[in-house]
Structures are given as structure tokens and as C-alpha cells.
Amino acid sequence: SIKGPSWLHFSSSDPFEKQYRSIIFNQSIISSSLEMAIPVIDFSKLEGKERAETLARIANGCQEWGFFQLVNHGIPVELLERVKKVCSECYRLRAEGFKASKPVQLLNKLVEEESDAADAKPLDNVDWEDVFLLQDDNEWPANPPEFRETMKEYREELRKLAEKVMEVMDENLGFEKGSIRNSFSGNGEHQPFFGTKVSHYPPCPRLDMVNGLRAHTDAGGVILLFQDDQVGGLQILKDGQWIDVQPVANAIVINTGDQIEVLSNGWYKSVWHRVLTTSDGNRRSIASFYNPSLKATIAPGTNKGDAATALYPEYVFGDYMDVYAKQKFLAKEPRFAAVRSV
């Protein structure tokens, strides 16, 4: 049967949003617990005697954390090294452009005016991020020359890994194999979205004035992140504390988006996360998003038993994205309420 947390509801007047905004935007609560570490899971053990234990660890990562890291995931280290090289070189060619970007201009202006305003407030409407998106049908950087071939190969590997992870989720949730992928494609009628966001977070002169990436939950399905193994900054909100997603060499960080939360009827969670700025080091972040087609209908899934109460609405993913585009950095519950009323 469909199961889910009994506390979930969708009242737009609920104080939930105010409570969470106070946590997420209050800079005094920048705490990171050394006792808590994002789960690191050996994906290769799904094929051996430790399969049941590995399935349980992935289920725990989805239920209790919303984030986990995969090692021995099948993507060749040699390819990952090439990805690091071409993305870093690509940013080197873009660096001058970032210096003229809106975040830099706004921060410079704020610093200049700070002496005249004792209560200068941090920038809450921009991210200290250089970013571009790779899709199958958009324009990619022409340089360095190896960029296109390398990133095409990488994206093919990540797409396959995403589908393997979704099949594990199917199994853990008691769904038929391929259920999540079928939901994302409208049972094969549409092509799921697969995009790769290539980001760099350059050194920032005022860490107190701007975030690398503001706190949010991800709108889509399964997110696969190849993060910098030297420069940290990524954090998730767990039990009221910001927890570092510790760099692990050649790991792929997995996190669950809002649509996985809905399909699982609340068993799996999309969680708040953010990137802090750093004063030294240029953080590289390559995030791939396996999302539903905009035409796909999303609703709580059913396992092999009888259906019970669905705690989330049924809606077309494109309608959800219309709401998300306006409310990305706000609480997710009102987004579900908004698409319920469409």
C-alpha cells in the first residue's frame, strides 16, 4: 500500500515556511557537526553477498538524509579525471566574464556603500556562481577542444547510473522494476529531461555577504553530483543543523528531488541544501539532473499491495516547474499546494 508520514499536509497558511526560513537564512546557525557524515556507500556490493545490506543503506540514505555518496559506481576514474581537467580549463577561459557578472557587481556596490549603511544586509537574491547547462540539444562550449567529447561520454555514463539508482529505489519501495523511470517518461511517451549543470564557485572576498548557492530543494528526480574533492562548501540541513557533504575522491553524490518525495509518498525526502562561499579555492561542481518530462504526470506511486491514502497531489510536472521557477528558494510545501489547485 501507499505509505507516508502522517504529519504531512499542504496548508498554505501553515507556519512551516516561516520556521524554515528562519533556519535557512539565519547566518548564526551555520553549524556543522563533526559527528554526522553523509553516508558513503559502495555501489559495487549490490552485485555480491552484501546486496541486502547495501539496499538497506541506500534506503536509509534516501529516508534519513536525502543525500548519500556512491563509490565504486562503475564510472572509470580515468574519465572522471578528464572531466575535472576539461571543466577546470573551461572555467579558466570564462573567469574574466565572471568578474563582470551581476553577483560581483552587486557585491562591489554593497561593499562601497557599507560605510554609509551600518545595517547593510547580505545579498539574498544572487548566487556567487559561474554556471552553464549542458543538454542534448543546446550549445556547448567549443573550448577546450576535448570538452564536448569528454562531457558527452560522461553524461552517457551518468544517465545509466541514474537509471540504476532509480531501479534500486523501485526495489526498496516495493515498486515494479522501472516504475520511477516510467513515471518520468509518461510510460514511454515522452523523453525524461537529463541536464548537466557545470558550476564553479570562485574565491569570494566577503563570505558574510553572499552564498555560493542559496538554500533550496531540487525540483526534479535524481541528482548526481561530481563535486570538488579539495574545496568543500556543500551543506545539507538535517535536524536543524547544516551538515557538510564531505569531499570524497571520485565519489558521485546522489540526492533526491521533490518528485522522488512525491512518488515515494513521503518515504524519501528532498532536503534543503546550499553552497557556502570560500575565501580561497575555486570549487568545481558538476551536477546532473534526471527529471521527468515536462509532460509527465506525477503522483504517489503504488507498491505491490493495495493503495492507501496519497499524501501528495497528482499533477503535470510542467505545472510544478512553473511554480518552482518563482519559489525555488522558498519552502516546498506551498508548491505542492499550488499544483494541487491547478
Side-chain angles (χ1 to χ4, degrees):
S1 61
I2 295 181
K3 299 180 180 179
S6 59
W7 49 261
L8 186 62
H9 55 88
F10 302 97
S11 171
S12 60
S13 61
D14 191 83
F16 182 94
E17 180 177 346
K18 290 182 179 178
Q19 295 169 357
Y20 265 73
R21 281 179 66 84
S22 70
I23 293 174
I24 287 160
F25 296 107
N26 185 345
Q27 295 301 307
S28 66
I29 310 182
I30 302 177
S31 59
S32 178
S33 172
L34 295 176
E35 291 79 27
M36 301 181 75
I38 307 301
V40 178
I41 301 170
D42 186 339
F43 202 54
S44 68
K45 290 187 176 180
L46 280 174
E47 306 303 323
K49 297 179 180 179
E50 298 179 48
R51 177 176 175 80
E53 179 183 346
T54 305
L55 286 170
R57 294 193 67 200
I58 292 172
N60 174 263
C62 294
Q63 288 179 271
E64 301 298 327
W65 293 85
F67 270 73
F68 55 94
Q69 304 204 52
L70 294 181
V71 295
N72 296 325
H73 39 62
I75 301 174
V77 171
E78 176 271 335
L79 174 57
L80 296 177
E81 289 297 325
R82 283 192 283 129
V83 168
K84 287 193 275 189
K85 181 179 178 181
V86 298
C87 288
S88 295
E89 176 64 14
C90 188
Y91 174 74
R92 189 184 69 79
L93 298 171
R94 296 168 54 89
E96 288 301 317
F98 180 75
K99 293 177 183 178
S101 67
K102 181 180 178 182
V104 175
Q105 292 176 353
L106 289 174
L107 184 61
N108 287 341
K109 182 180 179 182
L110 191 66
V111 170
E112 289 172 4
E113 297 174 349
E114 191 173 15
S115 58
D116 299 325
D119 60 345
K121 296 180 179 180
L123 296 171
D124 62 0
N125 61 344
V126 295
D127 303 305
W128 192 262
E129 176 187 36
D130 177 81
V131 59
F132 59 89
L133 182 68
L134 304 177
Q135 299 173 227
D136 290 337
D137 58 356
N138 71 338
E139 185 175 350
W140 292 21
N143 288 303
E146 306 85 7
F147 182 88
R148 174 176 289 275
E149 179 182 347
T150 299
M151 294 307 292
K152 181 179 179 182
E153 182 180 351
Y154 173 74
R155 278 169 47 81
E156 289 173 355
E157 291 289 335
L158 262 289
R159 199 188 313 250
K160 289 186 288 186
L161 179 59
E163 291 173 351
K164 290 178 183 177
V165 169
M166 289 190 293
E167 287 184 358
V168 171
M169 292 179 181
D170 286 333
E171 185 172 350
N172 277 332
L173 290 166
F175 294 171
E176 296 288 346
K177 184 177 180 179
S179 291
I180 295 175
R181 183 180 178 185
N182 286 339
S183 294
F184 284 8
S185 67
N187 291 318
E189 292 184 15
H190 312 294
Q191 185 68 30
F193 172 85
F194 187 71
T196 299
K197 189 180 101 166
V198 180
S199 302
H200 282 82
Y201 302 93
C204 180
R206 290 297 301 268
L207 309 187
D208 59 327
M209 287 296 182
V210 64
N211 269 320
L213 181 60
R214 288 164 285 171
H216 63 288
T217 66
D218 287 325
V222 175
I223 300 86
L224 306 94
L225 171 67
F226 182 33
Q227 71 164 343
D228 201 299
D229 55 12
Q230 300 294 323
V231 184
L234 175 61
Q235 296 185 324
I236 70 167
L237 187 66
K238 179 172 172 58
D239 302 329
Q241 284 191 316
W242 285 107
I243 307 299
D244 291 326
V245 180
Q246 68 276 17
V248 175
N250 300 318
I252 299 295
V253 181
I254 307 293
N255 74 280
T256 48
D258 295 347
Q259 307 317 304
I260 294 296
E261 179 169 328
V262 173
L263 289 171
S264 71
N265 206 34
W267 276 115
Y268 294 171
K269 301 296 187 299
S270 63
V271 301
W272 289 94
H273 54 284
R274 67 181 182 184
V275 177
L276 299 181
T277 48
T278 58
S279 56
D280 55 356
N282 181 18
R283 174 181 169 81
R284 180 186 59 253
S285 173
I286 306 163
S288 296
F289 300 79
Y290 197 114
N291 291 353
S293 161
L294 292 176
K295 297 179 180 179
T297 297
I298 302 298
T302 57
N303 63 22
K304 297 168 185 175
D306 295 329
T309 303
L311 301 178
Y312 296 77
E314 177 178 308
Y315 52 84
V316 175
F317 181 59
D319 291 337
Y320 187 84
M321 287 304 296
D322 288 343
V323 176
Y324 184 85
K326 302 171 185 175
Q327 301 181 12
K328 175 177 178 177
F329 301 107
L330 302 177
K332 61 190 170 185
E333 284 71 17
R335 300 198 289 263
F336 295 135
V339 290
R340 178 187 287 272
S341 63
V342 171

